[in-house]
Amino acid sequence: MIPKEKPVAVNVKPERFSPIPKVRTVKKRKRPQWLLGLVLTLLGLCFMLPFFWMVISSVKTDAEILALPLTIWPDEITFEHYVNLFVNLNFLTYLKNTILIVFASFFGLLLTAMAGYAFAKFTFKGSKVLFIGVLATMMIPGQVTMIPVYLMLNQMGLTNTMTGIVLPGLVGAFGVFLFRQFMTTIPDELLEASRLDGASEFRIFFSIILPMSKPILAVQGILTFIGAWNSFLWPLIIANDESLYTLSVGLALLQGQHGGNYGLQMAGATFMVVPIIIIFMIFQKYIIEGYNISGMK
């Protein structure tokens, strides 16, 4: 019998592991935020300087505008140039035409919302192909389609009319796309419950869809207003009568007929630009939010 060897006890101390590993923290260098803000402020002032000069020059006298050295603030504030625009020139007519185009464009915005709702919530034969066709029209520049549209309106007898100015721009492919992308996020169960309660499609659209689409309606409303207010090329092509011209066309005529009257030109440009800037500054957050919501789809 071979005697069994006794096991030798070895004292092994267990290594101590910390449950949380040590992480070396690297202190980030603080960026000079004040320096970045200062640079952006200076750049903003540089971009604002021409606009500021335009507004200030519109309330100066003709002698002070041409005086040397140039004065930043007018010695005598006058509004004679603005009075001249509406009394001696046809800017009141141009303003009425522009406002009429704006209201017609808002009616077209309702039609655009209906088209987006149809593409988002209804499945019919050829709906996908039709929607692709709508998107394909976004790739065609508007200048390419102006001549065919003009020939069609000429055959219909709508040239040199306000209807001919308004009709081609009532519905746009870009607006249909934005509404469709947003309305796909609305739950279908909510619409089905409304149909079971006996609500018609128009009741669902005006009572449910439109109130839930306020963000995209705000975005499209602002863009529609800016586009209608700045309408220039199409009214100039389709209309031969000065009584149908818009503010943009009137401003171009003002530069041609009164090229030496700088105060009058500055007043016309200020009256044209200031409403756009005010509206954009107030509603710019809705524009950014609307594009973000539509882009998420």
Side-chain angles (χ1 to χ4, degrees):
M1 296 282 304
I2 300 174
K4 295 182 179 180
E5 296 181 359
K6 295 181 179 180
V8 180
V10 180
N11 294 329
V12 180
K13 294 181 179 181
E15 296 182 0
R16 295 181 179 179
F17 297 97
S18 61
I20 302 176
K22 294 182 179 181
V23 180
R24 294 181 179 180
T25 58
V26 180
K27 293 183 179 181
K28 296 182 179 180
R29 295 180 179 179
K30 293 183 178 180
R31 297 179 179 179
Q33 298 291 338
W34 62 270
L35 181 60
L36 180 61
L38 180 61
V39 172
L40 293 177
T41 302
L42 292 177
L43 290 176
L45 291 176
C46 292
F47 284 110
M48 287 291 294
L49 183 59
F51 174 74
F52 173 77
W53 184 259
M54 177 186 68
V55 176
I56 292 300
S57 298
S58 66
V59 294
K60 289 182 179 180
T61 60
D62 295 333
E64 192 173 359
I65 292 174
L66 300 175
L68 292 175
L70 299 175
T71 57
I72 298 177
W73 192 257
D75 297 332
E76 180 184 354
I77 297 178
T78 177
F79 295 96
E80 62 177 353
H81 301 301
Y82 292 96
V83 175
N84 193 14
L85 285 177
F86 292 96
V87 174
N88 299 326
L89 300 176
N90 292 329
F91 261 69
L92 184 60
T93 302
Y94 304 152
L95 178 61
K96 291 179 181 179
N97 295 334
T98 304
I99 293 176
L100 183 60
I101 293 175
V102 168
F103 280 109
S105 300
F106 279 118
F107 175 73
L109 179 63
L110 179 63
L111 300 179
T112 304
M114 289 182 176
Y117 171 62
F119 282 118
K121 295 302 179 182
F122 291 95
T123 302
F124 51 90
K125 187 176 181 180
S127 59
K128 294 183 178 179
V129 177
L130 185 59
F131 183 66
I132 293 174
V134 172
L135 295 182
T137 60
M138 297 172 58
M139 306 176 188
I140 304 174
Q143 293 80 2
V144 176
T145 59
M146 281 185 177
I147 295 177
V149 172
Y150 179 85
L151 295 176
M152 293 172 59
L153 293 176
N154 190 26
Q155 292 179 357
M156 298 169 62
L158 295 178
T159 55
N160 202 29
T161 61
M162 185 57 65
T163 305
I165 296 175
V166 170
L167 191 60
L170 280 181
V171 180
F174 182 69
V176 173
F177 170 74
L178 285 183
F179 276 109
R180 188 259 182 188
Q181 293 298 99
F182 181 85
M183 290 178 180
T184 51
T185 61
I186 299 176
D188 295 334
E189 292 79 8
L190 182 62
L191 307 182
E192 292 296 333
S194 302
R195 293 188 182 101
L196 291 176
D197 290 338
S200 62
E201 294 298 332
F202 282 100
R203 178 68 181 275
I204 293 173
F205 177 76
F206 286 103
S207 300
I208 298 176
I209 299 297
L210 286 185
M212 296 182 68
S213 303
K214 286 182 179 179
I216 199 66
L217 278 173
V219 174
Q220 282 300 108
I222 297 166
L223 296 180
T224 299
F225 174 80
I226 293 175
W229 186 266
N230 292 330
S231 55
F232 170 74
L233 187 57
W234 181 247
L236 183 62
I237 292 174
I238 199 68
N240 298 323
D241 191 357
E242 190 175 352
S243 62
L244 296 174
Y245 286 166
T246 59
L247 284 173
S248 298
V249 180
L251 184 60
L253 293 177
L254 181 65
Q255 294 175 355
Q257 298 173 359
H258 302 274
N261 195 337
Y262 299 107
L264 195 62
Q265 293 184 46
M266 294 299 175
T270 302
F271 182 77
M272 184 73 198
V273 174
V274 166
I276 298 295
I277 295 179
I278 294 175
I279 290 177
F280 183 81
M281 291 177 63
I282 295 175
F283 298 103
Q284 60 179 338
K285 64 177 182 179
Y286 296 105
I287 297 177
I288 298 173
E289 290 177 0
Y291 279 127
N292 290 336
I293 292 172
S294 300
M296 290 173 62
K297 288 296 292 180

